Amino acid sequence: MHLLIRDITLEDAERFEAAFLEQGWHKPAAQFYRYYEEQQAGTRQVFVAETEGQPVGYVTLVPQTTAGPFAGQGIPEIVDFNVLQKWQRRGIGSALLDAAESAAFSMCDRVSLGVGLHSGYGSAQRMYVKRGYVPDGSGVWYQDRQLPEMAECRNDDDLILYLSKMR
């Protein structure tokens, strides 16, 4: 398999929307158009994995996180990382993270990310630990707020643990 890691293009928006719909996920083209615009403005880098002429995954990197425990510290954050299900377990996610981490480490000696806690994020959780990411120690966050001990929450995509990795 020949794998190319490249910047997002306008053509990727509709292609990703269709591919994610095929696997039952709603990721509208508007999201990818916004990512393209933010990449053009320099506020986000978007790395796309392409094989067989098709985009099969992506990851985005923002130069400075604006939420969570790393906000305001000048630490880049990996945000929104996905590989289409039929292309998983082929090294595509690792190649995307290699590109994002390399870009992050050119800005700072640390990179951060938040990962969901429900089982749908299980593969990502394992991957991040294997790659050397460690929890920051601030505990669980829900809807961009640190949860105090004994707080109630919902185990959805907004329940997050923040991790970071040093160069």
Side-chain angles (χ1 to χ4, degrees):
M1 172 183 73
H2 175 72
L3 184 66
L4 171 67
I5 304 296
R6 60 170 174 77
D7 291 343
I8 194 170
T9 65
L10 283 173
E11 294 77 28
D12 291 328
E14 306 270 338
R15 294 163 82 190
F16 270 132
E17 179 182 48
F20 280 106
L21 268 176
E22 187 177 302
Q23 69 181 33
W25 295 9
H26 177 67
K27 286 207 166 266
Q31 172 184 339
F32 298 103
Y33 287 129
R34 180 174 50 86
Y35 285 171
Y36 174 82
E37 290 170 4
E38 290 173 355
Q39 179 175 269
Q40 296 305 105
T43 58
R44 180 185 304 263
Q45 288 180 270
V46 185
F47 303 92
V48 172
E50 178 182 302
T51 190
E52 299 178 10
Q54 296 295 315
V56 296
Y58 69 93
V59 65
T60 81
L61 179 72
V62 294
Q64 293 189 45
T65 183
T66 58
F70 302 111
Q73 296 181 35
I75 299 170
E77 182 178 15
I78 291 172
V79 181
D80 198 10
F81 167 47
N82 280 290
V83 175
L84 293 167
Q85 289 173 329
K86 66 183 179 184
W87 291 96
Q88 292 178 2
R89 300 198 181 280
R90 299 183 193 195
I92 294 168
S94 290
L96 284 166
L97 285 177
D98 288 346
E101 288 172 0
S102 178
F105 291 144
S106 73
M107 296 178 242
C108 185
D109 65 351
R110 194 170 177 186
V111 61
S112 67
L113 57 81
V115 65
L117 294 179
H118 65 69
S119 62
Y121 290 98
S123 294
Q125 294 163 0
R126 286 189 304 274
M127 175 185 257
Y128 297 144
V129 169
K130 287 178 182 178
R131 291 182 69 89
Y133 286 85
V134 295
D136 78 299
S138 66
V140 177
W141 289 64
Y142 188 68
Q143 296 180 336
D144 294 327
R145 291 191 319 251
Q146 187 178 18
L147 281 180
E149 189 173 341
M150 303 303 288
E152 291 189 21
C153 63
R154 183 182 177 131
N155 192 7
D156 60 17
D157 288 348
D158 291 326
L159 186 63
I160 295 173
L161 183 67
Y162 283 95
L163 310 168
S164 69
K165 178 179 177 176
M166 301 295 287
R167 181 187 345 228

